Amino acid sequence: MSLGAALFLGFLVVQRLSELVLARRNTRRLLAQGAREVAPEHYKLIVALHAAWLGALALFGHDAAVQPGWLAVFVVLQGVRLWILGSLGRRWTTRIIVLDEPLVARGPYRFVKHPNYALVVAEIAVAPLVLGLVWVAVIFSILNAGVLAIRIRAEDDALKSLRAS
């Protein structure tokens, strides 16, 4: 295993696991405040996609040389990730949790309707490119587009019902 690939893959795994811990904590807190989960049936598909993506990166990229240009793009994306997490604060989760409060309208949410999904689209493509895995970027970008079509439709429907009430 190349050191660069090992460090990059280790970062991705630790980041994703940390996000799951944060999301679980935020979800519990929001539900305790009276929020409700909407359209949970596709969540397992999201988890499976991300696990398979990480698995493909590890399996096929463990001995790859890190591509510095793509790594720089990935680092910039992590700045965007922090901006999104900071903007949503305790409302950031990996599930669709609806709270009867105004939507977040600060940070990147002032400019883009779904910045977190845009970020995930970019990461699903860029992380494999860091390891020179163009085909992994293409395949998982296509699969992710299908999953996000389901996810965004469900979230938009949930938010419409929130605005109507």
Side-chain angles (χ1 to χ4, degrees):
M1 179 175 275
S2 81
L3 179 60
L7 291 172
F8 181 68
L9 292 167
F11 172 81
L12 282 175
V13 169
V14 168
Q15 177 190 54
R16 292 310 199 253
L17 291 175
S18 299
E19 287 177 351
L20 286 176
V21 169
L22 175 64
R24 197 167 280 144
R25 183 176 13 167
N26 286 347
T27 297
R28 279 195 304 265
R29 185 181 301 120
L30 289 165
L31 293 174
Q33 292 175 343
R36 65 190 184 284
E37 183 174 4
V38 178
E41 55 280 349
H42 70 278
Y43 186 71
K44 288 181 182 178
L45 187 59
I46 291 172
V47 172
L49 174 78
H50 283 261
W53 174 74
L54 284 170
L57 291 174
L59 181 64
F60 300 108
H62 68 277
D63 60 352
V66 170
Q67 307 298 309
W70 286 113
L71 182 59
V73 173
F74 184 82
V75 169
V76 169
L77 292 175
Q78 299 321 294
V80 174
R81 173 175 293 289
L82 292 174
W83 190 25
I84 290 167
L85 289 170
S87 297
L88 285 177
R90 294 178 172 210
R91 291 174 71 173
W92 184 86
T93 72
T94 55
R95 296 178 176 269
I96 301 173
I97 306 295
V98 178
L99 183 64
D100 291 327
E101 290 184 4
L103 297 176
V104 171
R106 63 182 173 277
Y109 292 87
R110 290 179 305 199
F111 312 110
V112 180
K113 186 174 181 182
H114 294 289
N116 195 64
Y117 300 142
L119 172 70
V120 170
V121 165
E123 285 181 329
I124 292 281
V126 171
L129 296 175
V130 170
L131 301 173
L133 300 171
V134 174
W135 67 273
V136 172
V138 171
I139 289 171
F140 281 92
S141 290
I142 292 167
L143 293 172
N144 188 51
V147 171
L148 282 180
I150 296 165
R151 171 67 173 226
I152 291 171
R153 188 175 313 115
E155 187 170 314
D156 284 347
D157 287 348
L159 295 177
K160 279 182 212 167
S161 70
L162 176 66
R163 289 184 195 111
S165 58

